[in-house]
Amino acid sequence: MWSDLIRDMPQGLPQVGDRGLDYTHTWGRTYWGGALFCLLADLEIRRQTNNAKGLEHGLRGILDAGGNIQKEWKLEDALRAGDLAVGVNVLQPLYSQVKDKPVSVDLDALWAKLGVQSDGDCLYFDDNAEMAENRRAITAGESAAAEHSLSSKPLAVFAGCAVGTP
């Protein structure tokens, strides 16, 4: 996963003429820019909650609040529900920053803080890096698996059919 992110995440960075995630509709900016938004949100949620929660908790909160394919929501409403679920205000402010203007991220510095290094052929992890604990929590999905089995909500809804109901 990390090698894919290191290799492909630069496609999500703003280029000349970028007008933010809501108004720049190139494939790389949409797909990888969205992935970068999710990674940054996950890391900030983990930072503010001392790794007690991550983006998966926000997404579960959106689902628990009724945000699924059966109902059309405004993005701001979904982000608000996600922030409420994690107990910190991350998704709404991050979206406000990136929706209508280019925001560049120093990916090399981010990978270094996470303790992820690549020489092109091999991937190396530095467990002494500043944010190595966050990287390990994301990779392991430590808290997500336990919560899925306890949830009364289906994991996903496709074409009106619940998938993954315990």
Side-chain angles (χ1 to χ4, degrees), residues 125-145:
F125 296 107
D126 176 2
D127 286 337
N128 295 313
E130 177 184 340
M131 298 171 66
E133 186 176 336
N134 301 109
R135 181 199 74 236
R136 287 190 300 271
I138 289 170
T139 304
E142 295 167 356
S143 55

Side-chain angles (χ1 to χ4, degrees), residues 87-111:
V88 294
N89 198 24
V90 170
L91 297 172
Q92 294 173 94
L94 181 58
Y95 173 66
S96 292
Q97 291 174 17
V98 301
K99 69 179 180 178
D100 57 7
K101 59 186 165 293
V103 174
S104 195
V105 174
D106 184 344
L107 290 175
D108 290 334
L110 180 61
W111 305 140

Side-chain angles (χ1 to χ4, degrees), residues 20-153:
L21 287 178
D22 282 2
Y23 302 104
T24 305
H25 300 293
T26 62
W27 178 87
R29 186 70 164 118
T30 300
Y31 184 86
W32 287 105
L36 181 56
F37 174 89
C38 289
L39 178 60
L40 294 174
D42 196 4
L43 290 169
E44 184 59 18
I45 291 166
R46 290 177 185 285
R47 186 189 70 76
Q48 289 190 33
T49 65
N50 295 313
N51 253 352
K53 296 202 174 172
L55 181 60
E56 70 270 20
H57 297 92
L59 296 175
R60 172 63 61 186
I62 294 167
L63 182 61
D64 287 345
N68 60 47
I69 198 168
Q70 295 175 322
K71 183 178 176 186
E72 188 170 326
W73 276 25
K74 292 181 182 177
L75 179 57
E76 291 82 357
D77 294 337
L79 298 175
R80 188 176 309 107
D83 281 341
L84 185 63
V86 295
V88 294
N89 198 24
V90 170
L91 297 172
Q92 294 173 94
L94 181 58
Y95 173 66
S96 292
Q97 291 174 17
V98 301
K99 69 179 180 178
D100 57 7
K101 59 186 165 293
V103 174
S104 195
V105 174
D106 184 344
L107 290 175
D108 290 334
L110 180 61
W111 305 140
K113 286 180 182 178
L114 288 166
V116 182
Q117 304 165 5
S118 174
D119 65 9
D121 293 322
C122 294
L123 194 64
Y124 305 95
F125 296 107
D126 176 2
D127 286 337
N128 295 313
E130 177 184 340
M131 298 171 66
E133 186 176 336
N134 301 109
R135 181 199 74 236
R136 287 190 300 271
I138 289 170
T139 304
E142 295 167 356
S143 55
E147 288 189 23
H148 290 315
S149 64
L150 300 175
S151 178
S152 62
K153 300 280 186 178

